[in-house]
Amino acid sequence: MSNGDESMEEYAEPVEEANGHSFYRVKQRIKDRSKKVAQTKEIFSKQAVQTKEILSKQAVKIAKQAEEHEKFINKVTHFVGVLGFGGFCFLLGARPQDTRYVYCLFYFIFVPLRWIYYRYKKWHYYLLDFCYYANTIFLVDLLLYPRNEKFFMVCFSFAEGPLAWALIVWRCSLVFSSLDKLVSVLIHLLPGLVFFTIRWWDPTTFAAMHPEGSSARASWPYVESKTYLWTWLFLVPLVAYSLWQALYFLIVNVLRRQRLLRDPEVMTSYRELSKKAQKANNMWWRLSGLLGDQNRLFMYILLQAIFSVATMALTVPIFLSYELHVIFQILKVCTSVWNGGSFLLEVMPRQVILKEKKKKAVVEPTDTQLEQTL
C-alpha cells in the first residue's frame, strides 16, 4: 500500500469518529426532548385531573348547600321567575329585537349552574342531549352571524322543530318554584320565541321583507323558492342532527360505556326514558321492544330520528305562515303552563309526602339508638 493511501485511511478514521459522535449527540438531544415532552404532558394531565377533581368537589359542595336551603331557594326562584317572565313578555312587545340578548344572558348564567347541579346528581350526561347542542349553535348564530340567512334557517328548524315539539311530547312543566323545571322549559321555549321575533317582528327584518316604495322582491329572507326552503329548513338541519347523533353515540355508548356500566346511578336520557316507560308500560316501551330487549337502544335512536325528521318537516309551513307560527307559540306556552299546573296539583303533593316519610325513617332509628344507649 502506498503512503498516499495510508494517509487517506488515517484521515478517514477521525472523520468517521467525528460523524459518529455528532450523530450520537443528535440522538441524545432527541431523547432528551422527548423526555421533556413526556414530562410536560404528565404534568398537564395531572393538573387537568386535579382541576377536574376540585371542580367536581366544589359542584357537590354547592349542590349540597342548595339542598339544605331548598325551601328558601324555591321561594326566591318563584319570585324571580314570575317577575322575570312578566318582564320578558313586556320586552317581547316593547323591544322584540332585544329578546335575543336576554336569551344569551339566560344561557350563560343558567347552563353552567345546571352543570354544577347535574354533576352532583350524576345527571351531567344530559348536557350532551340535542337541546344543548342546538342551543350552542343558536348562540353562535345570534352573536357571531346574526345576518346569515342560511344559518338562521337551520337554527329556526332546530328551535321550532325538535326542541319545540319536545316541550309538548315530553310534557315539560312551567313551575316557577322549581329552578330545574323552569330552566328545562326555557331551554326549549326561548329559542323559538327569539327566532319568531327575528322572523316576523324585528324592525330590520321587517323592513327587508317589506321595502317601502319598491315592488322588488324582499331581500331577506328568501321565501319564493321551495327547493331553497326545504334545503335549509330540512336537509341541512337533518345532516347537522345526524352529526350530533353520531357524536352522542360515540361518547356515551362507546367511549364512556364502561363508566356507565360501573355506576347505574349515572343517568342518561335513554336510561331515564326507558325506566319511566317500563314503569308505565306505555306505548313507547312497547315500541322500543319491537325488535327485542337487546335492541331497545337501537329502537330508541330510530324513534328519536323519526321524531326529528317529522318535526323538522313541519317547520317549513310554520316558516311560511305568520298565523300558523303565532298559533304554535300559543300552543307551546299553554301546554307548558297546563303541565305545570298538573305537576303542582298532582305530582308535588306526592313528592312532599315521600320526603316527609324519608325524614321520619331517618329520625326514628336515631331515636331508638338513643333509647338503647340510655
Side-chain angles (χ1 to χ4, degrees), residues 27-71:
K27 191 176 179 182
Q28 193 65 33
R29 283 178 187 173
I30 292 170
K31 283 184 179 180
D32 292 340
R33 285 182 183 176
S34 62
K35 283 181 182 178
K36 286 181 180 178
V37 170
Q39 289 173 355
T40 307
K41 282 183 178 178
E42 189 177 351
I43 290 168
F44 279 127
S45 63
K46 285 181 180 179
Q47 287 178 349
V49 171
Q50 289 174 355
T51 305
K52 187 178 178 182
E53 288 177 356
I54 291 168
L55 288 172
S56 298
K57 286 178 181 177
Q58 289 297 322
V60 171
K61 188 177 178 181
I62 292 168
K64 282 183 177 178
Q65 289 176 349
E67 282 197 343
E68 289 172 3
H69 304 89
E70 185 180 2
K71 286 185 179 179

Side-chain angles (χ1 to χ4, degrees), residues 14 21 31 33 42 59 128 144 173 178 195 203-204 237 244 268 293 319 339 342 359:
H21 186 63
K31 283 184 179 180
R33 285 182 183 176
E42 189 177 351
L128 296 175
L144 301 179
S173 306
S178 171
F195 290 111
T204 55
W244 164 80
T268 63
D293 288 340
F319 186 84
N339 291 336
S342 300
K359 283 181 181 179

Side-chain angles (χ1 to χ4, degrees), residues 104-163:
C104 293
L105 184 66
F106 159 79
Y107 186 91
F108 284 125
I109 292 173
F110 288 101
V111 171
L113 289 175
R114 171 160 275 203
W115 179 85
I116 291 171
Y117 179 66
Y118 277 17
R119 187 76 180 79
Y120 165 68
K121 301 289 282 187
K122 295 185 179 181
W123 297 348
H124 49 288
Y125 284 98
Y126 286 148
L127 271 71
L128 296 175
D129 287 353
F130 180 76
C131 54
Y132 296 97
Y133 170 81
N135 273 272
T136 305
I137 292 174
F138 300 157
L139 285 181
V140 174
D141 173 57
L142 295 172
L143 296 177
L144 301 179
Y145 305 99
R147 304 310 302 167
N148 188 308
E149 178 189 312
K150 294 174 182 176
F151 202 180
F152 167 78
M153 294 174 79
V154 172
C155 293
F156 185 96
S157 178
F158 285 165
E160 297 294 52
L163 259 69

Side-chain angles (χ1 to χ4, degrees), residues 330-348:
I330 295 169
L331 174 66
K332 289 189 293 181
V333 174
C334 289
T335 302
S336 57
V337 171
W338 179 269
N339 291 336
S342 300
F343 178 84
L344 287 170
L345 297 173
E346 297 172 10
V347 180
M348 190 173 276

Side-chain angles (χ1 to χ4, degrees), residues 52 115 118-119 121-130 132 244 248 251-253 255-260 262-263 265-271:
K52 187 178 178 182
W115 179 85
Y118 277 17
R119 187 76 180 79
K121 301 289 282 187
K122 295 185 179 181
W123 297 348
H124 49 288
Y125 284 98
Y126 286 148
L127 271 71
L128 296 175
D129 287 353
F130 180 76
Y132 296 97
W244 164 80
Y248 183 88
I251 294 168
V252 175
N253 299 103
L255 298 177
R256 306 299 293 171
R257 176 179 167 80
Q258 295 303 320
R259 167 78 176 93
L260 293 169
R262 284 197 305 269
D263 192 350
E265 290 184 1
V266 177
M267 292 302 294
T268 63
S269 295
Y270 171 69
R271 278 186 174 181

Side-chain angles (χ1 to χ4, degrees), residues 305-338:
I306 294 169
F307 168 79
S308 299
V309 169
T311 54
M312 284 178 188
L314 288 172
T315 59
V316 177
I318 291 172
F319 186 84
L320 292 172
S321 171
Y322 174 74
E323 291 78 11
L324 190 60
H325 205 175
V326 170
I327 292 169
F328 190 50
Q329 301 307 310
I330 295 169
L331 174 66
K332 289 189 293 181
V333 174
C334 289
T335 302
S336 57
V337 171
W338 179 269

